[in-house]
Amino acid sequence: MRVIQIGAGFWGRGWTSIIKNSPYTELAALVDLNEETLNRVGDEVGLPKDQRFTSLAEALKNVEAEAALVVTPPPAHEPVAIEALEAGLHCMIEKPIAETLASANRIVEKAKEVNRYVMVTQSHRFKRGPRTVKRLIEEGAVGKIETIYCRYRKAPIFSGFRAEMDEPLIVDQSIHHFDYIRGIFGIEPDYVRARSFNPSWSYFKGNASAFVEFETNDGTMISYTGSWVARRPHTGWDGSWEVHGTYASLFWDFNRILIYPHENVIGDTVFYKGALEKENDVLEVPLDNIEAEERYGTVKEFVTAVKENRQPETYGEDNLRSLGLVLAAVESTKRGGEKIDLNEFVKTHIG
């Protein structure tokens, strides 16, 4: 699939190499407002100069493509995506799909109007760890989930818009973990409450640490603590998860997945398909092999879905709910940790 990539900055630079080298895509053109950035990244991937442009309109006039990848800063996602969709291109859009639910919904509605697909690049979903956890939960390995705990600790150094965001952790990183709640664990929260803060050593302008709680109408409780300016010890990018269900508990940390059966210990430890018995009746599940991982997995799903004429896994309309978790958490921080009704929040803000 021939793809026009719009945005070649900090994160876009890595995407350019993926689109160029993926067996599923061909880099038809690269677009960036900054000519220096455009040419530096274009040179790095060996893209001919006649495939480099400073506007999407210019690229559309000069190259043929089937899809666009939008990797601009979030405020530009809506106008760029709308322009691409109106030109007949399917769209992959870097998360978050937009800054507001109303803006995101306008992208979704435009895609429906022009009969094109929109996929949000929730690339963390397409890794061996989460795919294995998703399979286990769907197979009933833990039973009905009633409690989830997540810890996330990292300290990356960013420049640019991330360092200036009001809620950099929740909006730019926790969206992956909140999306896991829906896409990997299969839970749809109904309420959210959150508090965010900034340690004295933080270089972020906005709050880079947060405590967030989610709750469903049937009583499932989720506790999330995260920081992007964490002191050691750090977690992996996926976070460290405990999932407690009616049949068993699941622990997922640094790509190691353990199952702790509650009742049928003998039956489970004698034979649990694909699992390895460890001490104290603990089962370790090796990660599933997958053909394409992370952003390569995202690209594979997008291209495959378009060719099969179906919605991709993280399609735009479904992702409105994941974005809703993020923005409702941000709203709760503004209200001092007030409990937000997620369904009412999404309905009110979608426009």
Short mmCIF file of all heavy atoms in Angstrom, two decimals, residues 20 99 111 154 238 251 331:
data_model
loop_
_atom_site.label_atom_id
_atom_site.label_comp_id
_atom_site.label_asym_id
_atom_site.label_seq_id
_atom_site.Cartn_x
_atom_site.Cartn_y
_atom_site.Cartn_z
N LYS A 20 8.85 2.91 5.16
CA LYS A 20 9.78 2.64 4.06
C LYS A 20 10.17 1.17 4.00
O LYS A 20 10.32 0.59 2.92
CB LYS A 20 11.03 3.50 4.24
CG LYS A 20 12.10 3.36 3.16
CD LYS A 20 11.68 4.03 1.87
CE LYS A 20 12.86 4.30 0.94
NZ LYS A 20 13.75 3.17 0.70
N GLU A 99 -7.34 16.22 19.84
CA GLU A 99 -7.25 16.81 21.17
C GLU A 99 -8.58 16.76 21.92
O GLU A 99 -8.60 16.78 23.15
CB GLU A 99 -6.78 18.25 21.08
CG GLU A 99 -5.31 18.41 20.74
CD GLU A 99 -4.82 19.82 20.99
OE1 GLU A 99 -5.40 20.75 20.39
OE2 GLU A 99 -3.86 19.98 21.76
N ALA A 111 -14.78 10.12 7.63
CA ALA A 111 -14.40 8.82 7.07
C ALA A 111 -15.63 8.04 6.60
O ALA A 111 -15.62 7.41 5.55
CB ALA A 111 -13.62 8.02 8.12
N LYS A 154 8.44 5.41 34.25
CA LYS A 154 9.50 5.66 33.27
C LYS A 154 9.99 7.10 33.43
O LYS A 154 9.32 7.93 34.06
CB LYS A 154 8.99 5.46 31.84
CG LYS A 154 8.89 4.01 31.39
CD LYS A 154 10.26 3.39 31.15
CE LYS A 154 10.15 2.02 30.51
NZ LYS A 154 11.46 1.35 30.40
N ASP A 238 5.06 -1.27 28.94
CA ASP A 238 3.68 -1.77 29.08
C ASP A 238 3.11 -1.52 30.46
O ASP A 238 1.89 -1.59 30.65
CB ASP A 238 3.64 -3.28 28.81
CG ASP A 238 3.88 -3.63 27.35
OD1 ASP A 238 3.39 -2.89 26.48
OD2 ASP A 238 4.58 -4.62 27.08
N PHE A 251 -0.42 -12.05 36.47
CA PHE A 251 0.60 -11.03 36.69
C PHE A 251 1.40 -10.87 35.41
O PHE A 251 1.91 -11.85 34.86
CB PHE A 251 1.52 -11.45 37.85
CG PHE A 251 2.62 -10.45 38.13
CD1 PHE A 251 2.32 -9.21 38.67
CD2 PHE A 251 3.95 -10.77 37.88
CE1 PHE A 251 3.33 -8.29 38.93
CE2 PHE A 251 4.96 -9.86 38.14
CZ PHE A 251 4.65 -8.62 38.67
N GLU A 331 -10.25 15.75 32.87
CA GLU A 331 -11.31 16.57 33.45
C GLU A 331 -11.40 16.36 34.95
O GLU A 331 -11.58 17.32 35.73
CB GLU A 331 -12.65 16.25 32.79
CG GLU A 331 -13.82 17.06 33.29
CD GLU A 331 -13.69 18.55 32.96
OE1 GLU A 331 -12.95 18.90 32.03
OE2 GLU A 331 -14.35 19.35 33.66
#
